[in-house]
Amino acid sequence: MSKFFIVMFHTFISKVKTKSFVFSTLVIAGFVLGLVHMDRVASLFDGGNQVIEVAVVTEISKYEEHLEDFTSQQDDIEFVEYNEKSTAKKDVKSDQLEAVFVINEDEQGFLEGAYYSESVAEQETSNYLNQELQQLKESIATEQLGLEQEQLEQIYEPVTFETEALSDQARSEEELKQARILVNILVMLIYFSVIGYGNMIATEVATEKSSRVMEILISSVSPVKQMFAKITGVALVGITQYVIIFVIAAASMFNRTPLNETNASLAPLDLSTMQIDLIVYAMIFFILGYLLFATIAATLGSIVSRIEDVNQLTVPLTLVVIVAFFISIFGLNTPDAPFVTIASYIPFFTPMVMFLRVGMLNLPFWEIALSIIILIATIALFAWIGARVYRGGVLIYGKSSSFQDIRRALKLSHKEK
Amino acid sequence: MNVTLILDQVSKKFADVQAVQRINLKLPKGEIFGIVGANGAGKTTTFRMILGLIEPSEGKITWEGNQFKNVVSSKIGYLPEERGLYPKLKVKDQLIYLGRLRGMKRQEVVRQVRYWLDRFNVPEFYTKKPESLSKGNQQKIQFIAAVMHRPELLILDEPFSGLDPLNVALLKNAVVDLKNSGTSILFSSHRMEHVEELCEHISILHRGQQVVHGSLKEVKRDFGKLNVTVHADFSLHDFRDYEGVVHFMNTAEGAQFQIENEQTAQHLFQALAESGFVRKFTLEEPSLNDIFLEKVGADDE
C-alpha cells in the first residue's frame, strides 16, 4: 500500500476511534432526532391534556350560546361561568382558575373582550380566544349587514398573483425552490465542515508537531503527500459522520410517516424532479471548498508549536467562512447583485456564492468554469505554499505563533544560494 | 575502507546565521562516527541536511556514490534529539504505523517490536500508551522506531541523554550489535565518554565549524598532550608551574597534570621523586574531554 494511503487510513482510524468523535456524532444525531420529532418532544413536557379552566364573565346573555362553539374545538379549555368579574379575578390569584375572559359590548354595540391571568407570558389561550372572538364579531356583523356566506368568502379569497420570468433562460419558480434548499444545505455543510473539520486538521498537524513525531514522519513521507493524505483522511471522517447522521435522521423520518406528508417544505427535494446538474455542482463546490479550507488549515496547523495556539490562528479562517455565509444568505434574495457576482469569483467565497448563482440564475458555462479554475488554481497555490510552510514550519519551535512564522518557515525551507 | 556516507564541504546558512560551515565527513560501512559539539554547534542541522529535511546551501551529500536524496527512506533510521511519539497512541499501533511508512509489512513490525521489547526487558509496553511511560522508557520505544526496519544508515541524535546508567548500557549494547551486523551509524553526543567508547571516527563541531575530525586514535596522537595522575604524601602545589605543565588540578589524594609531551613526564617524575614519596604516577592518553575542552573552550574564553 502506498504511503499516502497508510497516512490517510491512520488519520481516519485514529480520529474515528477518539472519544470526541463518538461523542459529537451521538450528540448531533440526538439533536437531529430531536428536531425530527420536535412535536413529540414538546408534547412530552406538556404533561398530557391538562384542562385549563377559564372563567367567563359576560353581562350580555345573547353571546352565551356562542360560547359553546368556542370550546368545542379546543379540548383543553373549559369555561366556567362566573357572574362577578372581581370574584373570578380573586380565584385566579388563588390559583383555582387559570384566567378570566370577559365579553362585553362597547358603546357602539360592537363586541369587545378582555383577558386576565396571573401572567400574560403564555399567549396560546388568549390568542385563541382573541381569534374566536374576532370570528364571532365578523359573523354577527355580516348577519347584521345581511350578507350571504358566499359573498363573505369572495371578499376574503386571496388575490391571484403570478410571477413569471419572460426570459426562456431564467429559472422556473419550482427550480428556484429546489435551488434555494440546495444552497441552504450546501452553505450549512461547508460552514460546519470548515469550522469542525478544518480545526480537526489544524489540531492534528499541531499535535504531531508538538509531539515531534513530525520530524520522523517527514523523513519518510514527503510533506505534500502527508498533508493531502491527512486532508483526505479527515474528509473521510467527515463523510462517515455525515452518513451516520443522515441515515439516523432519514430512518427515523421514514419510520414516522411517508416523506411527502411530514414536511411540505421538503417536497421539492423529491429525487424525481431534482436537477441532476445542480447536485453535481453542489458536490464539486463542496469538495473544492473543503480542499481549499483544509489546505489552509493544515498550513496554519504546521506553524504553531502548541495545540493551544491552533484556535488563535484559525479564527481568521472561521471569519472568512462566516462572511461567505452571510453573502450567500444575502444573495438568496438578490442573486444578480453585482456584489454577489464579484464575490462569486473570490476563491474563498466561490464554493458557496458561485453555487448560489448557479442555482438561482442561468449562468453561461464559462462563468462557472472560470470560477472553478480560479478555485483550483488557488487550492494548488495554497497546497504549494502549504507544503513549503509545512516542511519548514515543522522545524520551527518558538513560543510565538504568528503569521510572521509563515515567512520564517518559507525561508527555512528555501534553498539559499 | 568501504565508505558509505560522504559529506563534502557542506554548509548551511539561515537568513543571517551561518549554522554549519564546510563540514567534511566520511562514514565507513559498519562503523560508528561520532559528532561532538556543545549545544548549538550545528549537530542537529547537519543531521537534518543528511535526512533531506533542509537543503544544504553548499556542498554535496552522497550515499554509496549516489545523490543522497535518492536513498529510500527504508534504508535510513533516525532517532531525533527531541523525542517524538504520539502520546495517546498505543506503542504497537504507532510502531506499526511508523514501520509501514518505512516500507515494512505489518507482521514484520510486530515480530521486530516483540524482539526489541523483550531485549529491553519491557514486553508489557506493547499495549501501553507513551504518555504513561517514563521519559527513559519512551526513549526505548523511540529507539525501536529508529532501528526496527534494519536500516543501513542509522542516525542517532543524543541517544543516551536522560537515561539511567542501566538503560544507557542496554542501548549501547544494542548500538554495538547493530554496528557489528553492518549498520553504519552516525551518532552525536555531548557526553565524551560515550563517544570515546563507541566511535572509531569523530568530528568536533564548534559554532558550525569543524574543529577536529578524523579517527579517534589520530586525533589523540595529533593532540600530543598527555595526562599525569600523581598520588603523593607532600603538597604538589609547587609543581603547578613546572616547565612543560599545561594544566594543573588538585585532587583528593594528589594532583592531575596535563603536560606537553613524554619528555616532560620524565623530568616531572624525577623532580617529584626527589621531593618525597610518590605512591602513584601514571601517564595516560588525553581523554576526548580534554581535547574538546581545549579546542572549544579556548575559543570561548
Side-chain angles (χ1 to χ4, degrees):
Chain A
M1 195 159 36
S2 91
K3 286 176 181 174
F4 179 87
F5 289 106
I6 296 176
V7 176
M8 187 185 84
F9 281 118
H10 173 80
T11 309
F12 174 69
I13 288 168
S14 62
K15 279 285 164 197
V16 168
K17 275 206 275 188
T18 57
K19 286 188 195 94
S20 62
F21 175 82
V22 177
F23 183 70
S24 68
T25 311
L26 285 180
V27 167
I28 299 172
F31 182 72
V32 169
L33 275 182
L35 273 185
V36 172
H37 299 284
M38 189 58 137
D39 48 345
R40 288 189 192 174
V41 175
S43 68
L44 207 65
F45 293 101
D46 274 355
N49 291 329
Q50 208 179 25
V51 176
I52 300 169
E53 286 193 20
V54 178
V56 184
V57 182
T58 172
E59 286 154 13
I60 302 138
S61 56
K62 65 173 172 186
Y63 296 126
E64 271 170 19
E65 51 180 304
H66 295 291
L67 287 177
E68 274 177 35
D69 298 345
F70 276 37
T71 51
S72 62
Q73 286 161 29
Q74 203 78 3
D75 302 337
D76 52 355
I77 299 177
E78 195 170 278
F79 283 153
V80 184
E81 285 193 32
Y82 270 67
N83 292 327
E84 283 297 319
K85 201 158 70 175
S86 52
T87 49
K89 277 187 189 173
K90 242 179 243 160
D91 284 354
V92 169
K93 277 193 183 156
S94 60
D95 273 347
Q96 286 175 336
L97 283 173
E98 185 67 30
V100 184
F101 179 40
V102 181
I103 305 173
N104 265 324
E105 274 180 354
D106 61 9
E107 298 96 48
Q108 291 158 309
F110 287 123
L111 259 181
E112 62 176 16
Y115 183 82
Y116 307 93
S117 71
E118 284 234 86
S119 89
V120 287
E122 195 268 320
Q123 294 189 316
E124 207 183 330
T125 317
S126 63
N127 281 347
Y128 170 73
L129 293 174
N130 187 354
Q131 266 173 33
E132 289 292 309
L133 200 62
Q134 180 72 34
Q135 271 183 20
L136 181 60
K137 182 189 164 185
E138 278 166 16
S139 66
I140 291 168
T142 46
E143 230 169 86
Q144 283 171 351
L145 288 169
L147 283 175
E148 294 292 319
Q149 192 63 30
E150 260 176 45
Q151 290 172 305
L152 192 69
E153 272 166 22
Q154 275 174 6
I155 293 172
Y156 284 112
E157 199 183 2
V159 70
T160 332
F161 190 85
E162 274 181 30
T163 50
E164 210 178 310
L166 285 178
S167 159
D168 301 338
Q169 307 259 298
R171 297 279 184 181
S172 75
E173 197 60 37
E174 196 57 26
E175 284 175 328
L176 283 181
K177 223 183 252 169
Q178 272 187 7
R180 258 186 221 119
I181 290 171
L182 279 179
V183 167
N184 271 316
I185 292 175
L186 186 79
V187 165
M188 285 291 174
L189 271 185
I190 292 182
Y191 183 74
F192 285 117
S193 304
V194 169
I195 288 179
Y197 303 114
N199 250 343
M200 198 187 271
I201 290 173
T203 315
E204 169 87 12
V205 175
T207 312
E208 243 160 43
K209 196 185 158 186
S210 66
S211 66
R212 316 249 174 167
V213 186
M214 198 68 106
E215 251 178 272
I216 307 179
L217 288 184
I218 51 174
S219 63
S220 48
V221 193
S222 81
V224 187
K225 213 185 253 178
Q226 202 186 335
M227 190 164 84
F228 278 103
K230 270 205 168 62
I231 289 171
T232 326
V234 173
L236 283 183
V237 174
I239 291 170
T240 313
Q241 197 160 33
Y242 286 138
V243 166
I244 292 174
I245 292 164
F246 179 77
V247 166
I248 289 176
S252 75
M253 205 127 91
F254 280 113
N255 191 17
R256 267 188 90 154
T257 33
L259 184 62
N260 42 7
E261 273 181 51
T262 7
N263 207 332
S265 64
L266 286 179
L269 281 185
D270 190 355
L271 278 179
S272 54
T273 62
M274 193 66 92
Q275 305 158 67
I276 300 301
D277 57 336
L278 216 52
I279 302 276
V280 172
Y281 279 128
M283 283 177 183
I284 291 174
F285 280 117
F286 178 72
I287 291 167
L288 290 179
Y290 171 79
L291 275 180
L292 175 68
F293 286 106
T295 314
I296 299 173
T299 309
L300 292 176
S302 69
I303 61 171
V304 300
S305 28
R306 290 178 308 155
I307 302 165
E308 301 90 83
D309 295 335
V310 170
N311 279 333
Q312 195 191 334
L313 270 181
T314 48
V315 166
L317 195 63
T318 314
L319 287 180
V320 169
V321 186
I322 292 174
V323 170
F325 180 77
F326 280 116
I327 295 177
S328 34
I329 296 299
F330 170 79
L332 272 177
N333 293 320
T334 54
D336 44 7
F339 165 65
V340 175
T341 312
I342 293 166
S344 70
Y345 288 103
I346 299 172
F348 301 107
F349 305 142
T350 302
M352 292 183 186
V353 182
M354 187 47 101
F355 179 70
L356 172 141
R357 294 184 64 219
V358 172
M360 307 295 286
L361 308 170
N362 212 322
L363 292 182
F365 180 71
W366 68 264
E367 277 201 45
I368 305 170
L370 179 64
S371 78
I372 290 179
I373 288 168
I374 294 176
L375 190 54
I376 290 175
T378 316
I379 293 170
L381 178 72
F382 274 104
W384 181 77
I385 295 175
R388 306 201 65 175
V389 174
Y390 207 92
R391 179 185 276 253
V394 293
L395 300 175
I396 293 179
Y397 291 99
K399 45 184 191 284
S400 82
S401 59
S402 60
F403 285 97
Q404 280 201 337
D405 282 348
I406 296 180
R407 252 191 28 230
R408 270 180 68 203
L410 276 174
K411 260 190 191 154
L412 196 57
S413 70
H414 189 70
K415 185 179 176 180
E416 273 128 297
K417 290 218 168 176
Chain B
M1 195 165 69
N2 193 354
V3 179
T4 50
L5 178 75
I6 298 176
L7 267 70
D8 184 19
Q9 299 281 318
V10 172
S11 299
K12 177 69 192 177
K13 207 176 162 194
F14 295 118
D16 43 1
V17 187
Q18 186 76 44
V20 171
Q21 210 169 13
R22 289 196 296 282
I23 286 197
N24 293 302
L25 184 155
K26 279 186 183 143
L27 174 60
K29 187 172 168 54
E31 285 203 19
I32 306 182
F33 193 108
I35 295 185
V36 189
N39 302 323
K43 290 173 291 181
T44 304
T45 306
T46 308
F47 288 158
R48 284 178 174 168
M49 282 193 287
I50 294 170
L51 289 164
L53 301 186
I54 45 182
E55 297 235 13
S57 316
E58 275 170 61
K60 237 177 29 191
I61 300 175
T62 55
W63 171 262
E64 289 173 346
N66 299 317
Q67 276 250 305
F68 194 83
K69 270 185 205 161
N70 305 330
V71 179
V72 284
S73 73
S74 60
K75 284 189 179 175
I76 309 166
Y78 176 42
L79 177 72
E81 182 181 5
E82 297 286 350
R83 315 303 171 214
L85 291 169
Y86 294 99
K88 293 186 192 304
L89 197 61
K90 279 183 192 158
V91 166
K92 68 164 181 177
D93 290 333
Q94 62 185 308
L95 289 178
I96 287 172
Y97 176 52
L98 294 174
R100 292 182 70 200
L101 285 178
R102 296 275 192 208
M104 291 172 84
K105 289 234 160 29
R106 194 186 182 86
Q107 297 88 334
E108 176 66 11
V109 181
V110 172
R111 226 165 44 80
Q112 285 289 336
V113 171
R114 293 260 191 220
Y115 164 76
W116 283 105
L117 286 177
D118 282 344
R119 179 166 178 163
F120 290 152
N121 305 322
V122 286
E124 71 275 14
F125 287 178
Y126 192 65
T127 51
K128 285 208 170 140
K129 290 177 180 173
E131 60 181 357
S132 68
L133 302 180
S134 74
K135 221 182 148 194
N137 284 330
Q138 289 187 24
Q139 178 75 343
K140 289 180 190 165
I141 307 300
Q142 185 95 44
F143 184 83
I144 296 174
V147 301
M148 63 183 171
H149 55 292
R150 301 257 155 207
E152 289 178 31
L153 171 66
L154 180 59
I155 296 181
L156 304 170
D157 201 351
E158 302 281 355
F160 307 130
S161 69
L163 290 182
D164 63 59
L166 222 64
N167 282 322
V168 169
L170 218 55
L171 249 66
K172 238 187 233 170
N173 245 324
V175 171
V176 172
D177 274 4
L178 284 166
K179 172 201 138 163
N180 290 338
S181 68
T183 311
S184 313
I185 300 168
L186 201 58
F187 159 73
S188 90
S189 182
H190 47 246
R191 298 287 297 276
M192 302 306 153
E193 69 272 23
H194 294 153
V195 178
E196 205 158 4
E197 188 184 332
L198 293 171
C199 306
E200 287 90 350
H201 293 80
I202 62 140
S203 168
I204 297 180
L205 291 189
H206 180 56
R207 297 191 175 159
Q209 306 259 12
Q210 205 168 21
V211 189
V212 172
H213 91 282
S215 83
L216 191 60
K217 276 184 201 139
E218 276 168 33
V219 167
K220 284 189 173 177
R221 201 184 307 136
D222 291 349
F223 185 65
K225 292 168 189 162
L226 296 165
N227 286 342
V228 175
T229 308
V230 180
H231 290 176
D233 289 341
F234 52 94
S235 166
L236 295 167
H237 205 76
D238 298 341
F239 293 92
R240 67 176 305 157
D241 295 323
Y242 193 84
E243 198 196 332
V245 172
V246 184
H247 192 75
F248 173 87
M249 195 176 70
N250 266 315
T251 59
E253 292 173 278
Q256 184 125 38
F257 295 82
Q258 193 182 62
I259 55 170
E260 266 171 0
N261 47 41
E262 287 181 6
Q263 230 174 353
T264 312
Q266 232 167 356
H267 295 312
L268 183 66
F269 182 68
Q270 280 164 6
L272 282 168
E274 282 164 18
S275 306
F277 182 61
V278 176
R279 273 186 288 113
K280 184 180 176 186
F281 186 96
T282 49
L283 187 60
E284 289 153 353
E285 275 195 316
S287 71
L288 192 55
N289 203 31
D290 298 325
I291 301 173
F292 181 76
L293 281 179
E294 170 146 333
K295 295 284 183 189
V296 170
D299 197 60
D300 273 343
E301 276 156 21

